[in-house]
Amino acid sequence: MIGVYDSGIGGLSVWKELNALMPERDYVYVADSAHCPYGEKSSDYIIERADRIVRFMLSRGVKAVVVACNTATAAAISYLRRSFDIPFVGMEPAVKPAALASRSGVVGVLATANTFRGTLYRDTVMKYASDVRIVEKVGRGLVEAVERGDVPYGLIREYVDGMKEEGADVIVLGCTHFPFLEKQIAAAAGPSVRIINPAPAVAAQTRRVVDGIRDTSSGLRIREFYSTGDMQVLRRTAMSIDPTLKDCDFHQINI
Ligand code: DGL
């Protein structure tokens, strides 16, 4: 059983890839929607939430956890790896494939303020993207819009235009909520700009990690979805990814 969590529904963009790659596994998903967004909260706050969520998922029987949130990965993954004796897979800021794909030598990254502040992002840029110019855009307002089920066309255009004006020909979706806006981001960017969603690479990495663990899946394809906040948007989005999900797969939790 694999645990997957995010500040809200964004991590479903990663679960979608996990479920497609490893449909035989059991999954527990936690959307921390009551505490969303994480983007500008303190590290201590995000670590405290991570601790509670992982303890809850362990009580459900997970054997590995995917931190399907760039912001939580930046703030809390070192703490989680130190504190719990299971493997954790985090989100990688996909600047390496972006740097390789760019012909203009300019890469746009759309993420939260906390992701840009994290040492993981800084180190990755230094290691893999030192020969391209990175245009960083904080996608303020986008996470909240996805949580509400809105498409904020005006904001998308503003952020994408800002990156294109600087010459970016690749845009990295540095937040797991943003693949839900990928079509609109791609439309605003136009056909000459490539959009990179790191979720498939994270799913592939998760498979490598869980392949090393004895398979204790139930064979029943258990899918449990929990939200600390609004259930409707979680249910609607998860069901749009997997229509075989049932109402009884969704639960409210107070942790
Ligand atoms: N999905 C989260 C991420 O990848 C959103 C962060 C937030 O809640 O602000 O960073």
Side-chain angles (χ1 to χ4, degrees):
M1 181 175 267
I2 301 172
V4 183
Y5 93 91
D6 177 48
S7 62
I9 62 164
L12 290 175
S13 65
V14 180
W15 178 71
K16 177 182 177 184
E17 305 297 334
L18 291 164
N19 192 40
L21 197 63
M22 296 177 282
E24 73 289 357
R25 294 278 177 177
D26 297 330
Y27 293 94
V28 171
Y29 184 95
V30 175
D32 197 13
S33 296
H35 303 90
C36 185
Y38 283 176
E40 310 211 9
K41 297 220 165 70
S42 73
S43 296
D44 285 351
Y45 185 93
I46 297 168
I47 287 172
E48 154 84 19
R49 294 308 304 155
D51 188 85
R52 280 174 193 257
I53 292 165
V54 168
R55 282 179 201 282
F56 170 75
M57 290 196 290
L58 286 170
S59 76
R60 302 304 308 153
V62 306
K63 298 284 185 273
V65 168
V66 180
V67 182
C69 174
N70 295 70
T71 310
T73 301
I77 201 152
S78 312
Y79 166 82
L80 292 172
R81 288 186 173 136
R82 274 197 316 272
S83 309
F84 297 97
D85 198 17
I86 55 164
F88 289 90
V89 179
M91 297 305 298
E92 271 287 319
V95 288
K96 184 182 176 184
L100 292 172
S102 176
R103 274 183 276 155
S104 67
V106 184
V107 165
V109 181
L110 193 58
T112 68
N114 272 341
T115 296
F116 286 130
R117 262 182 226 130
T119 48
L120 175 68
Y121 172 76
R122 292 276 147 232
D123 290 351
T124 311
V125 167
M126 246 164 29
K127 215 157 143 194
Y128 299 113
S130 52
D131 52 353
V132 295
R133 193 155 67 80
I134 306 270
V135 181
E136 295 171 1
K137 282 273 171 236
V138 174
R140 236 169 234 118
L142 298 183
V143 169
E144 295 90 325
V146 170
E147 290 288 318
R148 285 194 307 270
D150 284 353
V151 180
Y153 289 103
L155 286 179
I156 291 173
R157 170 129 331 261
E158 181 186 324
Y159 300 143
V160 169
D161 283 353
M163 292 187 274
K164 278 194 77 176
E165 276 158 24
E166 299 277 337
D169 64 348
V170 181
I171 294 177
V172 176
L173 304 180
C175 168
T176 55
H177 279 73
F178 300 165
F180 292 110
L181 303 171
E182 185 168 351
K183 256 194 231 134
Q184 291 80 13
I185 292 172
S192 60
V193 176
R194 182 149 159 218
I195 312 290
I196 297 193
N197 171 10
V202 170
Q205 170 62 9
T206 306
R207 179 152 77 175
R208 283 191 284 276
V209 168
V210 300
D211 272 352
I213 308 175
R214 193 167 62 87
D215 187 359
T216 53
S217 305
S218 63
L220 300 171
R221 298 192 67 203
I222 292 171
R223 272 104 181 93
E224 294 176 2
F225 291 84
Y226 296 89
S227 175
T228 59
D230 180 10
M231 285 296 302
Q232 300 313 321
V233 67
L234 176 65
R235 186 184 289 125
R236 194 173 59 236
T237 313
M239 282 183 165
S240 74
I241 293 170
D242 183 350
T244 68
L245 294 172
K246 295 179 286 302
D247 274 346
C248 60
D249 298 327
F250 296 86
H251 315 270
Q252 188 96 38
I253 36 162
N254 192 359
I255 52 172

